[in-house]
Amino acid sequence: MKNYLIISPEDNVAVALEDLKPGDSITFPDGSFSIKELVPVKHKFALNDFNTNDRIIMYGVPVGKVLKPIAKGELITTENIKHEAATYAFQNKEYQTPKVDISGLKERSFLGYHRSDGQVGTANYWIFIPMVFCQNRNLKVLREAFEAELGYKKENPYKLQLKKLVSGESAEVFVEDVEKASEKVFENIDGIKFLTHEGGCGGTRADAEALVNLLAGYIKNPNVAGATVMSLGCQHAQISMIQEALTKDINLEKPVLYFEQQQFSSEKEMLMSAVNKTYKELSEVNKITRKPAPLSKLTLGLECGGSDGFSGITANPLIGLVSDKINALGGKSILSEFPELCGVEQDLIDRSPNRDIADKFIHLMESYNKKAHEVGSGFDMNPSPGNIKDGLITDAIKSAGAATKGGRSAIADVLDYAEYATEQGLNLLCTPGNDVESTTGLAGSGANMILFSTGLGTPTGNPVCPVIKIASNSMLPAKMKDIIDFDAGKLVSEGISQEELSNQLIELIIEIASGKKQTCADKLGQDDFIPWKRGVSL
């Protein structure tokens, strides 16, 4: 195997596949040169001499501008280049999605929960939603009751560990012996989830509207069987707003219960009513069982977090290929994180079906970046310290790799935050790059499965949507085995083809979608939920 990788023929930098030391030879069919300084694995080095203001090209697109001369074989750093991305505009090009091999997948199915609106869930949850933050305590009280009495509460092993320490016993605890929940009362309900947040009142009306649309999206999500909505009564986010939001996009026929505290004589009266009515609906929802569904009923959320220098080489392109295959079968995929599309706008515009879709994408990108600049930030400040340490030193480098999660499918639709995905194919969803704000948005736009690549490791999960964590390098699953579901690093470490890895990943998706296997995030109870307030978050 080579000790470097050139991603696109147009690139003038390469990626180190191992630590390269001064004097190490970089060999091409028509010659070779030596590395000038230490280039850590995953970092980039120059393939030719650069002068000040020259452009750095990676993935075939501009990703940076040279700040001072760089010699062939030298390390690319934040000191010698800065972020730069190409300009873009609608060009009215015709685009044909490249064909992918879906032989053997057309007849495959998963066991899912069929909803009357035509969607199919990969899970069956009941959710409790507060319209405003001052209902969070009531949800906490209800959560303690429902989880304990319906068999969803797991024993806390660290509580037992502390108990032993206090009593002077050995503090060794076998987690697998104490984590098990008691037997579930409702066999066909995967869990009762409680979506607390800090919004609903005190912010702008626009914040309240965005929150309401997001919460409505969670109720619409095919993994949700029904909902109990708790309200105070006087807040911006009114029950009438969520009722109206639920009439859009799909023909919703799910049980939704509403409780407004200011209409009850006491908190106790409201909570007892909520328990009684919710229990009755749970008994009905439990009658829904898993039945076969084609893979076209999958809606894949496409996400990355804790990215490293291999993310855009292994895990993200793998996710893109799986996305293309599901879309070719008639399914949907949703690519989010707009700050991480900076630099690849022209490619996405060229894949848009018409000017209206392209213009909506351009408007969302430019207005978002403008707001960031107004508070002294910008998309160029998106890479985290962890990203930079691992070789993603400009937003355009990070974006060019992140965008590969979307594969090569044509763009079906562009969605603003909390809009629901209804179009078959690849949808672009405006969210921040923040992992949890983005995955929260993906589930709110209808994803029934999220594919999440990571190179540095992150436990991120979601209350209602299984999150499959895909490692970009083979060291990560060994180091953080309790949070990683799939190793895409085998493309480099074992030379397994992307095609074979895509087939393996689809088999895992089918297992999880059918309820035969849990994701690591679900095993850990990682129910991350953070609504995006439309201020600046990258």
Side-chain angles (χ1 to χ4, degrees), residues 253-480:
E253 295 182 17
K254 295 179 182 179
V256 183
L257 308 175
Y258 299 95
F259 299 90
E260 190 165 273
Q261 188 167 355
Q262 290 171 349
Q263 300 301 316
F264 287 85
S265 61
S266 68
E267 182 181 280
K268 177 183 176 181
E269 180 190 0
M270 179 183 72
L271 295 182
M272 289 186 68
S273 178
V275 170
N276 285 333
K277 292 182 179 180
T278 301
Y279 185 83
K280 180 180 178 182
E281 292 296 345
L282 289 173
S283 301
E284 292 300 312
V285 167
N286 189 53
K287 296 175 183 177
I288 306 171
T289 59
R290 290 183 181 270
K291 296 178 181 178
L295 301 187
S296 61
K297 292 298 182 179
L298 290 173
T299 299
L300 302 178
L302 314 175
E303 179 71 22
C304 58
S307 299
D308 73 344
F310 280 169
S311 292
I313 297 169
T314 58
N316 290 345
L318 174 63
I319 290 173
L321 179 55
V322 171
S323 170
D324 283 342
K325 289 186 175 185
I326 295 302
N327 289 335
L329 291 166
K332 303 185 193 78
S333 61
I334 310 173
L335 179 63
S336 57
E337 302 180 288
F338 271 30
E340 297 180 11
L341 300 180
C342 177
V344 296
E345 294 95 339
Q346 190 62 59
D347 176 60
L348 295 170
I349 291 167
D350 290 344
R351 290 157 59 187
S352 299
N354 54 56
R355 179 179 287 276
D356 288 343
I357 296 294
D359 284 349
K360 184 175 182 181
F361 173 62
I362 293 170
H363 169 72
L364 289 171
M365 286 290 288
E366 291 184 349
S367 59
Y368 189 172
N369 200 14
K370 181 181 178 182
K371 286 182 180 178
H373 280 290
E374 287 173 353
V375 294
S377 186
F379 286 172
D380 59 304
M381 298 180 71
N382 174 249
S384 69
N387 295 149
I388 294 169
K389 183 180 178 182
D390 239 47
L392 303 177
I393 59 176
T394 73
D395 186 59
I397 290 176
K398 184 179 179 182
S399 296
T404 61
K405 300 191 303 293
R408 299 306 305 164
S409 295
I411 307 302
D413 202 0
V414 173
L415 310 171
D416 199 357
Y417 183 71
E419 287 188 318
Y420 205 77
T422 59
E423 296 297 323
Q424 182 273 322
L426 177 61
N427 294 259
L428 304 181
L429 172 65
C430 184
T431 74
N434 177 286
D435 299 352
V436 177
E437 288 176 327
S438 183
T439 51
T440 296
L442 285 167
S445 289
N448 58 8
M449 184 78 72
I450 294 174
L451 306 183
F452 189 121
S453 72
T454 182
L456 304 178
T458 170
T460 303
N462 183 266
V464 304
C465 189
V467 179
I468 299 178
K469 217 64 61 54
I470 301 164
S472 68
N473 62 82
S474 294
M475 296 175 287
L476 184 59
K479 184 175 70 170
M480 304 180 77

Side-chain angles (χ1 to χ4, degrees), residues 182-199:
S182 57
E183 186 175 345
K184 291 194 303 184
V185 173
F186 297 114
E187 181 182 359
N188 296 316
I189 300 177
D190 294 305
I192 317 293
K193 301 293 184 174
F194 297 79
L195 278 59
T196 57
H197 59 81
E198 303 303 319

